[in-house]
Amino acid sequence: MRTELTLADADGFYEKLLDAQQGLSDEQRKLFCARLVLLLANQVGDDRVLEQCIDAARRGIG
Amino acid sequence: MPDDATPRLPLRTGTAVTGGHYELPVYPFVEPAELRGGLGRHPVAIVGAGLTGLTLACDLALRGIPAVVLDEDDTVGVRGAASRGICYAQKSLEVFRRLGIYERVAAAGVQWSVGRTYAGDDEVYALDLEGQATHEGSEQPAFINLQQFYVEWYLVDRLYELGTVELRWKNRVAGLIQRDDEVLLEVETPAGRYRLAAAWVVDCSGGHSRLRQWCGVGVLGHRGQDRWCIADVRFRVQPPAERWTWIEAPFNDGRAAWQHRMADGVWRLDYQLPADTDLAQASRPEVVEERLRRQFGADLDHELVWVGAYAYRSECLERFRSGRVLFAGDAAHVMSPFGARGGNSGVQDADNLGWKLALVLGGGLPQRLLDSYDEERRSAAHENIRVTRRTARFLSPPNDHERVWRQAVLGLAREVPFARAFVDTGRLSAPTLYPASMLNCGVGGGRPLANVALALAEGRRADLLALFEKAGDAFVGLLFGDLPAGRAGALAELQRRYPVRFFRVGGEAAAGLLPRVIDLHGRLARQAAVGEGGFALLRPDCYLAGTLTAPSAAEIERALRIALALESR
């Protein structure tokens, strides 16, 4: 799992991510996030990296 | 077959529906020798003449072990439950080929190639298996659908034809005493009660086996909330010969449903029910008829063949061997029916155990070989339970959160191909890998080899399993390419001392040496991942024990000794 920045425009990505969810209900937002995770997982395409990302995401919540 | 005496939630309740059910054979009760004063010890007693027990009996018969099979009933299939397993996967079909019933299974069974998956009113995706080489190279297809009792029937016919196994119908096992050198079974029959002695007992008596308690072997279990109801139906007008799966069926209140075809134009319809449904109520014929009308319309012309409701459960014994008692099939493990992993894993249990029992009994090999049965098949059971529980979780999300994830999967599956991989309506039974097996003696150990086509040196077409027939059911050692000078003599010596037969694959034709086969499409070398000069050792269940690169005769002997449990790695 890479921990250094790989995005050319982090602020732009963050804004697009939030904008895309504007006007959605809570239910629709959950669905959006799930769809996005599945799409991104297939772009990563590496089981070990995905497992590390899942662990890192979970660890930060305690 | 299951013993329903214990008061617990039945795995499956069955109702025969008049008019539609099958004519099943009835086998005669013959007074056992023990009741006529005969004593003596049987090498193997198999408890339960279901799919697993009959497969094992047939396997042992072909290996020259005259087992005795005890069954409390006198027919195939559970009485009144004319239908259980319906789908036989490739590895089972290869086993049936070896046992000599494959031709009958293939002639009676049906195959489909188109599968469609629906959610709501839309098709999520369709799949055509035609021409897809997912199981490259086997002479047997990926699967055949057939009612289980037919397979049992063919196995019984085959056993009577072979003649060495004694099938004891109406013999109910009521108790068990284990001694150091034998097991005693208390058996009840219409002619009275007797005691049977056997060197080994294999419990194939199903998911309600009592032998497990008598042996003090614990059962680790999980009971699901999910309830299903099966209806086997004969239609006047046949639906398309395709497998249809609904994840959210509009005619089943948004729950899952299945539609597959079996032999005799009978269809298996399987409906997911609300959690904690009353199974008896849900399987009443008038309730089932109403469900059918919702799916197929009011003017449906059909005949109900069998109806049965069941609840999911997963169970696995803490060990599959207890002294001289071994557990196989549902007696050892129970799982949800997804992917046809129940019956097929029972066949694989029998395939794994038969040669080991035969070699321990007749070949003087250590009992440790049977511990490898426990190790390998218990890991297989755990894998099957894990895989089927994943499917159950997809089909019945336990909470709203997981339902949202499923909604995301179903949405994406309609839009982009990769997401179809997440749609889990069951993963078809595949032979389990044993990468950690104590019998592995080289690279690639614990991998199954498909039954590929070969040609014999005299030009006749054969298959990989034919080599095991030529080998007298021993191990098969394959030497790829030409033999180093003087090697044949050393190998002939190994053949005299161990249960193994060597074959050359390809290389120069030469008279008087080891028998030679031609790897027609290079599939054997590819599957085994062996190059020229390499060696592959195949177990009698057609698993690779391991491969070696250009080994000496001494290295081949060491590999054999590991694969036979004579030495540790």
Side-chain angles (χ1 to χ4, degrees):
Chain A
M1 183 180 79
R2 284 183 292 201
T3 52
E4 73 285 4
L5 181 67
T6 62
L7 301 172
D9 178 12
D11 291 343
F13 165 73
Y14 192 69
E15 186 176 40
K16 282 195 188 82
L17 184 64
L18 298 185
D19 285 352
Q21 297 173 70
Q22 272 190 348
L24 298 184
S25 67
D26 277 357
E27 203 60 24
Q28 289 169 323
R29 283 191 184 124
K30 284 184 195 160
L31 187 59
F32 170 86
C33 290
R35 284 171 58 91
L36 185 62
V37 165
L38 295 173
L39 285 162
L40 293 177
N42 194 54
Q43 307 312 305
V44 173
D46 181 324
D47 293 338
R48 206 172 53 88
V49 170
L50 288 170
E51 193 179 330
Q52 288 168 345
C53 292
I54 289 171
D55 289 346
R58 181 65 186 82
R59 218 172 24 245
I61 295 173
Chain B
M1 291 177 194
D3 174 340
D4 288 317
T6 31
R8 60 202 295 189
L9 183 67
L11 179 62
R12 194 170 276 193
T13 58
T15 321
V17 180
T18 14
H21 55 234
Y22 304 90
E23 293 286 328
L24 295 177
V26 175
Y27 303 109
F29 166 72
V30 177
E31 193 173 326
E34 283 86 345
L35 278 171
R36 289 179 270 118
L39 288 171
R41 194 166 80 176
H42 301 270
V44 181
I46 296 169
V47 183
L51 181 63
T52 305
L54 292 169
T55 301
L56 180 64
C58 210
D59 182 273
L60 288 172
L62 289 167
R63 298 182 194 287
I65 307 289
V68 55
V69 181
L70 306 167
D71 194 274
E72 62 190 19
D73 210 342
D74 61 358
T75 183
V76 287
V78 178
R79 212 173 260 292
S83 181
R84 285 171 293 156
I86 64 162
C87 179
Y88 297 90
Q90 188 168 67
K91 181 65 181 173
S92 298
L93 298 172
E94 291 173 345
V95 172
F96 298 155
R97 141 79 184 88
R98 195 166 58 69
L99 301 182
I101 64 161
Y102 172 69
E103 297 303 326
R104 292 186 76 184
V105 169
V110 298
Q111 294 182 58
W112 49 264
S113 71
V114 175
R116 296 183 194 279
T117 301
Y118 297 88
D121 291 316
D122 331 325
E123 182 174 300
V124 181
Y125 67 93
L127 170 85
D128 192 344
L129 295 174
E130 186 74 33
Q132 275 192 16
T134 45
H135 301 254
E136 199 219 349
S138 178
E139 293 288 277
Q140 275 64 46
F143 63 89
I144 288 178
N145 278 6
L146 183 64
Q147 290 87 323
Q148 179 173 333
F149 69 86
Y150 277 123
V151 179
E152 295 176 359
W153 194 337
Y154 303 154
L155 286 166
V156 171
D157 283 352
R158 181 74 173 127
L159 283 165
Y160 279 125
E161 181 184 289
L162 292 167
T164 50
V165 163
E166 197 185 334
L167 291 159
R168 295 188 179 181
W169 308 102
K170 293 281 184 197
N171 277 240
R172 181 173 183 275
V173 175
L176 177 149
I177 300 164
Q178 188 146 192
R179 291 186 176 158
D180 284 348
D181 59 341
E182 65 181 5
V183 184
L184 302 177
L185 295 176
E186 288 290 334
V187 188
E188 291 169 353
T189 78
R193 203 179 163 103
Y194 71 96
R195 186 172 267 195
L196 178 147
W200 296 93
V201 166
V202 187
D203 178 12
C204 305
S205 65
H208 296 280
S209 160
R210 291 184 299 166
L211 277 74
R212 312 180 293 194
Q213 292 149 256
W214 297 337
C215 290
V217 179
V219 185
L220 310 172
H222 165 87
R223 183 147 294 162
Q225 290 302 302
D226 229 17
R227 304 282 185 270
W228 291 73
C229 185
I230 284 173
D232 287 352
V233 174
R234 199 177 276 126
F235 292 105
R236 298 278 177 264
V237 180
Q238 292 285 314
E242 300 176 347
R243 175 194 199 249
W244 290 5
T245 304
W246 285 264
I247 292 153
E248 295 162 341
F251 52 83
N252 192 30
D253 300 325
R255 289 184 300 272
W258 257 271
Q259 176 177 323
H260 328 237
R261 194 161 68 107
M262 300 184 282
D264 305 334
V266 173
W267 290 73
R268 161 72 51 93
L269 307 168
D270 204 352
Y271 300 95
Q272 190 179 33
L273 304 173
D276 299 316
T277 298
D278 176 349
L279 293 181
Q281 168 66 21
S283 55
R284 288 168 53 145
E286 62 274 21
V287 176
V288 175
E289 291 286 358
E290 173 55 28
R291 218 176 275 134
L292 288 172
R293 277 193 294 274
R294 285 185 65 188
Q295 181 174 359
F296 296 98
D299 53 352
L300 174 70
D301 191 2
H302 72 291
E303 182 182 26
L304 264 184
V305 175
W306 185 74
V307 170
Y310 61 99
Y312 283 173
R313 65 174 212 210
S314 304
E315 276 184 7
C316 191
L317 291 195
E318 60 187 6
R319 56 185 198 277
F320 288 8
R321 179 184 170 204
S322 168
R324 293 182 162 270
V325 180
L326 296 138
F327 300 90
D330 283 3
H333 47 72
V334 173
M335 61 208 69
S336 304
F338 306 120
R341 285 170 182 261
N344 285 295
S345 66
V347 171
Q348 286 182 48
D349 288 348
D351 187 43
N352 187 290
L353 181 56
W355 65 272
K356 294 174 181 174
L357 259 181
L359 285 175
V360 169
L361 272 162
L365 287 177
Q367 293 188 10
R368 216 165 70 83
L369 192 56
L370 297 171
D371 291 331
S372 77
Y373 165 75
D374 167 65
E375 179 194 273
E376 292 175 351
R377 294 311 299 166
R378 198 149 43 83
S379 78
H382 285 157
E383 178 180 302
N384 286 322
I385 288 170
R386 189 165 57 242
V387 170
T388 50
R389 286 186 67 178
R390 283 176 181 165
T391 306
R393 189 175 185 177
F394 186 82
L395 290 176
S396 303
N399 53 49
D400 288 345
H401 177 67
E402 294 194 13
R403 197 168 285 278
V404 168
W405 278 92
R406 188 175 82 173
Q407 199 184 340
V409 165
L410 292 175
L412 284 172
R414 292 179 172 98
E415 301 158 23
V416 283
F418 84 83
R420 294 172 191 172
F422 294 113
V423 179
D424 185 354
T425 59
R427 307 296 186 205
L428 182 62
S429 165
T432 308
L433 308 179
Y434 312 130
S437 172
M438 63 164 92
L439 306 182
N440 291 346
C441 60
V443 176
R447 269 198 300 120
L449 293 191
N451 181 31
V452 294
L454 298 173
L456 303 178
E458 56 269 33
R460 217 153 32 86
R461 230 181 108 93
D463 58 9
L464 182 56
L465 291 172
L467 299 190
F468 289 93
E469 286 162 15
K470 284 178 168 287
D473 295 318
F475 276 63
V476 164
L478 300 173
L479 297 122
F480 290 76
D482 292 322
L483 280 187
R487 178 62 53 82
L491 294 177
E493 175 59 21
L494 288 179
Q495 289 190 154
R496 271 192 294 278
R497 292 170 46 214
Y498 298 98
V500 63
R501 289 293 170 269
F502 295 104
F503 297 85
R504 287 173 55 216
V505 183
E508 288 294 313
L513 295 174
L514 300 173
R516 179 166 160 270
V517 299
I518 315 295
D519 186 8
L520 282 177
H521 311 284
R523 285 178 183 151
L524 186 52
R526 208 158 43 241
Q527 274 202 90
V530 179
E532 283 290 294
F535 171 72
L537 184 60
L538 275 56
R539 310 174 355 167
D541 53 5
C542 212
Y543 271 71
L544 263 182
T547 62
L548 303 171
T549 312
S552 66
E555 286 166 331
I556 291 176
E557 179 171 10
R558 164 127 174 94
L560 255 174
R561 293 183 63 82
I562 293 169
L564 291 165
L566 288 165
E567 266 180 40
S568 298
R569 236 179 308 157

